[in-house]
PDB file of all heavy atoms in Angstrom:
ATOM      1  N   ILE A   1      26.525  77.382 -78.239  1.00  0.00           N
ATOM      2  CA  ILE A   1      25.309  77.060 -78.988  1.00  0.00           C
ATOM      3  C   ILE A   1      24.987  75.585 -78.768  1.00  0.00           C
ATOM      4  O   ILE A   1      25.892  74.741 -78.695  1.00  0.00           O
ATOM      5  CB  ILE A   1      25.471  77.382 -80.486  1.00  0.00           C
ATOM      6  CG1 ILE A   1      24.135  77.269 -81.217  1.00  0.00           C
ATOM      7  CG2 ILE A   1      26.543  76.522 -81.144  1.00  0.00           C
ATOM      8  CD1 ILE A   1      24.171  77.802 -82.660  1.00  0.00           C
ATOM      9  N   SER A   2      23.712  75.286 -78.646  1.00  0.00           N
ATOM     10  CA  SER A   2      23.275  73.905 -78.508  1.00  0.00           C
ATOM     11  C   SER A   2      21.883  73.774 -79.093  1.00  0.00           C
ATOM     12  O   SER A   2      21.231  74.781 -79.395  1.00  0.00           O
ATOM     13  CB  SER A   2      23.289  73.476 -77.034  1.00  0.00           C
ATOM     14  OG  SER A   2      22.386  74.250 -76.279  1.00  0.00           O
ATOM     15  N   ARG A   3      21.462  72.555 -79.261  1.00  0.00           N
ATOM     16  CA  ARG A   3      20.125  72.330 -79.835  1.00  0.00           C
ATOM     17  C   ARG A   3      19.505  71.093 -79.211  1.00  0.00           C
ATOM     18  O   ARG A   3      20.203  70.155 -78.817  1.00  0.00           O
ATOM     19  CB  ARG A   3      20.190  72.192 -81.354  1.00  0.00           C
ATOM     20  CG  ARG A   3      20.970  71.015 -81.874  1.00  0.00           C
ATOM     21  CD  ARG A   3      21.177  71.116 -83.385  1.00  0.00           C
ATOM     22  NE  ARG A   3      19.911  71.025 -84.100  1.00  0.00           N
ATOM     23  CZ  ARG A   3      19.758  71.461 -85.354  1.00  0.00           C
ATOM     24  NH1 ARG A   3      20.763  72.017 -86.016  1.00  0.00           N
ATOM     25  NH2 ARG A   3      18.572  71.350 -85.963  1.00  0.00           N
ATOM     26  N   ASP A   4      18.188  71.111 -79.180  1.00  0.00           N
ATOM     27  CA  ASP A   4      17.403  69.965 -78.722  1.00  0.00           C
ATOM     28  C   ASP A   4      16.431  69.642 -79.851  1.00  0.00           C
ATOM     29  O   ASP A   4      15.402  70.321 -80.005  1.00  0.00           O
ATOM     30  CB  ASP A   4      16.670  70.315 -77.423  1.00  0.00           C
ATOM     31  CG  ASP A   4      15.931  69.132 -76.842  1.00  0.00           C
ATOM     32  OD1 ASP A   4      15.623  68.186 -77.591  1.00  0.00           O
ATOM     33  OD2 ASP A   4      15.625  69.168 -75.643  1.00  0.00           O
ATOM     34  N   ASN A   5      16.767  68.641 -80.633  1.00  0.00           N
ATOM     35  CA  ASN A   5      15.933  68.330 -81.796  1.00  0.00           C
ATOM     36  C   ASN A   5      14.557  67.799 -81.415  1.00  0.00           C
ATOM     37  O   ASN A   5      13.611  67.912 -82.188  1.00  0.00           O
ATOM     38  CB  ASN A   5      16.665  67.344 -82.709  1.00  0.00           C
ATOM     39  CG  ASN A   5      17.797  68.004 -83.475  1.00  0.00           C
ATOM     40  OD1 ASN A   5      17.899  69.241 -83.546  1.00  0.00           O
ATOM     41  ND2 ASN A   5      18.688  67.203 -84.046  1.00  0.00           N
ATOM     42  N   ALA A   6      14.442  67.246 -80.219  1.00  0.00           N
ATOM     43  CA  ALA A   6      13.134  66.772 -79.761  1.00  0.00           C
ATOM     44  C   ALA A   6      12.199  67.940 -79.463  1.00  0.00           C
ATOM     45  O   ALA A   6      10.975  67.782 -79.491  1.00  0.00           O
ATOM     46  CB  ALA A   6      13.299  65.903 -78.525  1.00  0.00           C
ATOM     47  N   LYS A   7      12.775  69.091 -79.175  1.00  0.00           N
ATOM     48  CA  LYS A   7      11.979  70.272 -78.855  1.00  0.00           C
ATOM     49  C   LYS A   7      12.000  71.318 -79.956  1.00  0.00           C
ATOM     50  O   LYS A   7      11.482  72.419 -79.776  1.00  0.00           O
ATOM     51  CB  LYS A   7      12.481  70.899 -77.549  1.00  0.00           C
ATOM     52  CG  LYS A   7      12.313  70.013 -76.327  1.00  0.00           C
ATOM     53  CD  LYS A   7      12.791  70.715 -75.062  1.00  0.00           C
ATOM     54  CE  LYS A   7      12.554  69.844 -73.835  1.00  0.00           C
ATOM     55  NZ  LYS A   7      13.025  70.519 -72.591  1.00  0.00           N
ATOM     56  N   ASN A   8      12.642  70.997 -81.074  1.00  0.00           N
ATOM     57  CA  ASN A   8      12.746  71.959 -82.193  1.00  0.00           C
ATOM     58  C   ASN A   8      13.311  73.292 -81.721  1.00  0.00           C
ATOM     59  O   ASN A   8      12.867  74.367 -82.170  1.00  0.00           O
ATOM     60  CB  ASN A   8      11.384  72.191 -82.855  1.00  0.00           C
ATOM     61  CG  ASN A   8      10.949  71.022 -83.720  1.00  0.00           C
ATOM     62  OD1 ASN A   8      11.608  69.984 -83.739  1.00  0.00           O
ATOM     63  ND2 ASN A   8       9.857  71.178 -84.415  1.00  0.00           N
ATOM     64  N   THR A   9      14.301  73.236 -80.871  1.00  0.00           N
ATOM     65  CA  THR A   9      14.813  74.445 -80.228  1.00  0.00           C
ATOM     66  C   THR A   9      16.335  74.507 -80.313  1.00  0.00           C
ATOM     67  O   THR A   9      17.014  73.495 -80.119  1.00  0.00           O
ATOM     68  CB  THR A   9      14.377  74.500 -78.762  1.00  0.00           C
ATOM     69  OG1 THR A   9      12.951  74.450 -78.693  1.00  0.00           O
ATOM     70  CG2 THR A   9      14.857  75.783 -78.092  1.00  0.00           C
ATOM     71  N   VAL A  10      16.819  75.709 -80.592  1.00  0.00           N
ATOM     72  CA  VAL A  10      18.252  75.972 -80.528  1.00  0.00           C
ATOM     73  C   VAL A  10      18.471  77.032 -79.443  1.00  0.00           C
ATOM     74  O   VAL A  10      17.645  77.921 -79.255  1.00  0.00           O
ATOM     75  CB  VAL A  10      18.807  76.431 -81.895  1.00  0.00           C
ATOM     76  CG1 VAL A  10      18.173  77.724 -82.356  1.00  0.00           C
ATOM     77  CG2 VAL A  10      20.319  76.549 -81.855  1.00  0.00           C
ATOM     78  N   TYR A  11      19.579  76.898 -78.745  1.00  0.00           N
ATOM     79  CA  TYR A  11      19.893  77.773 -77.612  1.00  0.00           C
ATOM     80  C   TYR A  11      21.212  78.503 -77.853  1.00  0.00           C
ATOM     81  O   TYR A  11      22.080  78.032 -78.584  1.00  0.00           O
ATOM     82  CB  TYR A  11      20.020  76.956 -76.329  1.00  0.00           C
ATOM     83  CG  TYR A  11      18.814  76.134 -75.992  1.00  0.00           C
ATOM     84  CD1 TYR A  11      18.768  74.777 -76.312  1.00  0.00           C
ATOM     85  CD2 TYR A  11      17.719  76.695 -75.341  1.00  0.00           C
ATOM     86  CE1 TYR A  11      17.662  73.998 -76.008  1.00  0.00           C
ATOM     87  CE2 TYR A  11      16.606  75.930 -75.030  1.00  0.00           C
ATOM     88  CZ  TYR A  11      16.586  74.584 -75.362  1.00  0.00           C
ATOM     89  OH  TYR A  11      15.487  73.819 -75.062  1.00  0.00           O
ATOM     90  N   LEU A  12      21.351  79.627 -77.188  1.00  0.00           N
ATOM     91  CA  LEU A  12      22.626  80.322 -77.132  1.00  0.00           C
ATOM     92  C   LEU A  12      22.862  80.741 -75.689  1.00  0.00           C
ATOM     93  O   LEU A  12      22.195  81.646 -75.182  1.00  0.00           O
ATOM     94  CB  LEU A  12      22.648  81.538 -78.057  1.00  0.00           C
ATOM     95  CG  LEU A  12      24.007  82.228 -78.173  1.00  0.00           C
ATOM     96  CD1 LEU A  12      25.009  81.323 -78.898  1.00  0.00           C
ATOM     97  CD2 LEU A  12      23.891  83.572 -78.900  1.00  0.00           C
ATOM     98  N   GLN A  13      23.763  80.030 -75.032  1.00  0.00           N
ATOM     99  CA  GLN A  13      24.159  80.382 -73.667  1.00  0.00           C
ATOM    100  C   GLN A  13      25.253  81.426 -73.753  1.00  0.00           C
ATOM    101  O   GLN A  13      26.303  81.174 -74.355  1.00  0.00           O
ATOM    102  CB  GLN A  13      24.650  79.155 -72.917  1.00  0.00           C
ATOM    103  CG  GLN A  13      25.125  79.445 -71.503  1.00  0.00           C
ATOM    104  CD  GLN A  13      24.017  79.891 -70.567  1.00  0.00           C
ATOM    105  OE1 GLN A  13      22.926  79.318 -70.588  1.00  0.00           O
ATOM    106  NE2 GLN A  13      24.277  80.924 -69.775  1.00  0.00           N
ATOM    107  N   MET A  14      25.011  82.580 -73.156  1.00  0.00           N
ATOM    108  CA  MET A  14      25.950  83.695 -73.229  1.00  0.00           C
ATOM    109  C   MET A  14      26.440  84.024 -71.832  1.00  0.00           C
ATOM    110  O   MET A  14      25.652  84.429 -70.972  1.00  0.00           O
ATOM    111  CB  MET A  14      25.274  84.914 -73.865  1.00  0.00           C
ATOM    112  CG  MET A  14      24.649  84.617 -75.220  1.00  0.00           C
ATOM    113  SD  MET A  14      24.022  86.101 -76.034  1.00  0.00           S
ATOM    114  CE  MET A  14      22.721  86.567 -74.898  1.00  0.00           C
ATOM    115  N   ASN A  15      27.727  83.834 -71.607  1.00  0.00           N
ATOM    116  CA  ASN A  15      28.346  84.113 -70.311  1.00  0.00           C
ATOM    117  C   ASN A  15      29.365  85.244 -70.460  1.00  0.00           C
ATOM    118  O   ASN A  15      29.785  85.579 -71.574  1.00  0.00           O
ATOM    119  CB  ASN A  15      29.039  82.862 -69.783  1.00  0.00           C
ATOM    120  CG  ASN A  15      28.087  81.718 -69.547  1.00  0.00           C
ATOM    121  OD1 ASN A  15      26.911  81.915 -69.229  1.00  0.00           O
ATOM    122  ND2 ASN A  15      28.584  80.495 -69.702  1.00  0.00           N
ATOM    123  N   SER A  16      29.752  85.809 -69.336  1.00  0.00           N
ATOM    124  CA  SER A  16      30.760  86.881 -69.318  1.00  0.00           C
ATOM    125  C   SER A  16      30.431  87.966 -70.340  1.00  0.00           C
ATOM    126  O   SER A  16      31.277  88.395 -71.124  1.00  0.00           O
ATOM    127  CB  SER A  16      32.153  86.309 -69.609  1.00  0.00           C
ATOM    128  OG  SER A  16      32.483  85.303 -68.671  1.00  0.00           O
ATOM    129  N   LEU A  17      29.196  88.398 -70.299  1.00  0.00           N
ATOM    130  CA  LEU A  17      28.726  89.355 -71.299  1.00  0.00           C
ATOM    131  C   LEU A  17      29.440  90.693 -71.170  1.00  0.00           C
ATOM    132  O   LEU A  17      29.768  91.144 -70.065  1.00  0.00           O
ATOM    133  CB  LEU A  17      27.214  89.529 -71.192  1.00  0.00           C
ATOM    134  CG  LEU A  17      26.421  88.372 -71.807  1.00  0.00           C
ATOM    135  CD1 LEU A  17      24.995  88.351 -71.283  1.00  0.00           C
ATOM    136  CD2 LEU A  17      26.414  88.485 -73.327  1.00  0.00           C
ATOM    137  N   LYS A  18      29.644  91.308 -72.332  1.00  0.00           N
ATOM    138  CA  LYS A  18      30.312  92.602 -72.424  1.00  0.00           C
ATOM    139  C   LYS A  18      29.365  93.613 -73.076  1.00  0.00           C
ATOM    140  O   LYS A  18      28.418  93.233 -73.769  1.00  0.00           O
ATOM    141  CB  LYS A  18      31.569  92.479 -73.278  1.00  0.00           C
ATOM    142  CG  LYS A  18      32.543  91.401 -72.833  1.00  0.00           C
ATOM    143  CD  LYS A  18      33.704  91.277 -73.802  1.00  0.00           C
ATOM    144  CE  LYS A  18      34.670  90.190 -73.394  1.00  0.00           C
ATOM    145  NZ  LYS A  18      35.797  90.058 -74.350  1.00  0.00           N
ATOM    146  N   SER A  19      29.674  94.871 -72.903  1.00  0.00           N
ATOM    147  CA  SER A  19      28.824  95.906 -73.487  1.00  0.00           C
ATOM    148  C   SER A  19      28.752  95.757 -75.011  1.00  0.00           C
ATOM    149  O   SER A  19      27.721  96.033 -75.620  1.00  0.00           O
ATOM    150  CB  SER A  19      29.328  97.293 -73.108  1.00  0.00           C
ATOM    151  OG  SER A  19      30.670  97.472 -73.531  1.00  0.00           O
ATOM    152  N   GLU A  20      29.844  95.300 -75.607  1.00  0.00           N
ATOM    153  CA  GLU A  20      29.857  95.140 -77.065  1.00  0.00           C
ATOM    154  C   GLU A  20      29.022  93.966 -77.563  1.00  0.00           C
ATOM    155  O   GLU A  20      28.866  93.776 -78.766  1.00  0.00           O
ATOM    156  CB  GLU A  20      31.291  95.014 -77.599  1.00  0.00           C
ATOM    157  CG  GLU A  20      32.136  93.979 -76.895  1.00  0.00           C
ATOM    158  CD  GLU A  20      33.019  94.592 -75.823  1.00  0.00           C
ATOM    159  OE1 GLU A  20      32.536  95.437 -75.037  1.00  0.00           O
ATOM    160  OE2 GLU A  20      34.217  94.200 -75.759  1.00  0.00           O
ATOM    161  N   ASP A  21      28.480  93.182 -76.647  1.00  0.00           N
ATOM    162  CA  ASP A  21      27.547  92.115 -77.038  1.00  0.00           C
ATOM    163  C   ASP A  21      26.121  92.647 -77.201  1.00  0.00           C
ATOM    164  O   ASP A  21      25.240  91.903 -77.649  1.00  0.00           O
ATOM    165  CB  ASP A  21      27.539  90.996 -75.997  1.00  0.00           C
ATOM    166  CG  ASP A  21      28.870  90.271 -75.894  1.00  0.00           C
ATOM    167  OD1 ASP A  21      29.480  89.984 -76.933  1.00  0.00           O
ATOM    168  OD2 ASP A  21      29.302  90.005 -74.745  1.00  0.00           O
ATOM    169  N   THR A  22      25.908  93.895 -76.842  1.00  0.00           N
ATOM    170  CA  THR A  22      24.595  94.496 -76.998  1.00  0.00           C
ATOM    171  C   THR A  22      24.181  94.502 -78.465  1.00  0.00           C
ATOM    172  O   THR A  22      24.919  94.981 -79.326  1.00  0.00           O
ATOM    173  CB  THR A  22      24.597  95.938 -76.458  1.00  0.00           C
ATOM    174  OG1 THR A  22      24.828  95.907 -75.052  1.00  0.00           O
ATOM    175  CG2 THR A  22      23.268  96.634 -76.738  1.00  0.00           C
ATOM    176  N   ALA A  23      23.027  93.919 -78.751  1.00  0.00           N
ATOM    177  CA  ALA A  23      22.560  93.783 -80.138  1.00  0.00           C
ATOM    178  C   ALA A  23      21.190  93.125 -80.124  1.00  0.00           C
ATOM    179  O   ALA A  23      20.731  92.638 -79.086  1.00  0.00           O
ATOM    180  CB  ALA A  23      23.529  92.923 -80.955  1.00  0.00           C
ATOM    181  N   VAL A  24      20.572  93.099 -81.282  1.00  0.00           N
ATOM    182  CA  VAL A  24      19.413  92.244 -81.495  1.00  0.00           C
ATOM    183  C   VAL A  24      19.940  90.914 -82.025  1.00  0.00           C
ATOM    184  O   VAL A  24      20.723  90.886 -82.982  1.00  0.00           O
ATOM    185  CB  VAL A  24      18.410  92.853 -82.497  1.00  0.00           C
ATOM    186  CG1 VAL A  24      17.243  91.899 -82.715  1.00  0.00           C
ATOM    187  CG2 VAL A  24      17.926  94.206 -81.987  1.00  0.00           C
TER     188      VAL A  24
END
């Protein structure tokens, strides 16, 4: 997780994804 306060944005970088990560 990371954020850029200048852009009012938060990010979630997801690597090595698994089937159990499937979700909203």
Side-chain angles (χ1 to χ4, degrees):
I1 190 170
S2 62
R3 63 190 295 160
D4 185 338
N5 286 346
K7 296 182 177 180
N8 285 6
T9 302
V10 62
Y11 304 98
L12 187 68
Q13 178 67 43
M14 306 186 295
N15 298 330
S16 303
L17 283 161
K18 306 175 181 179
S19 58
E20 51 263 45
D21 295 318
T22 295
V24 178

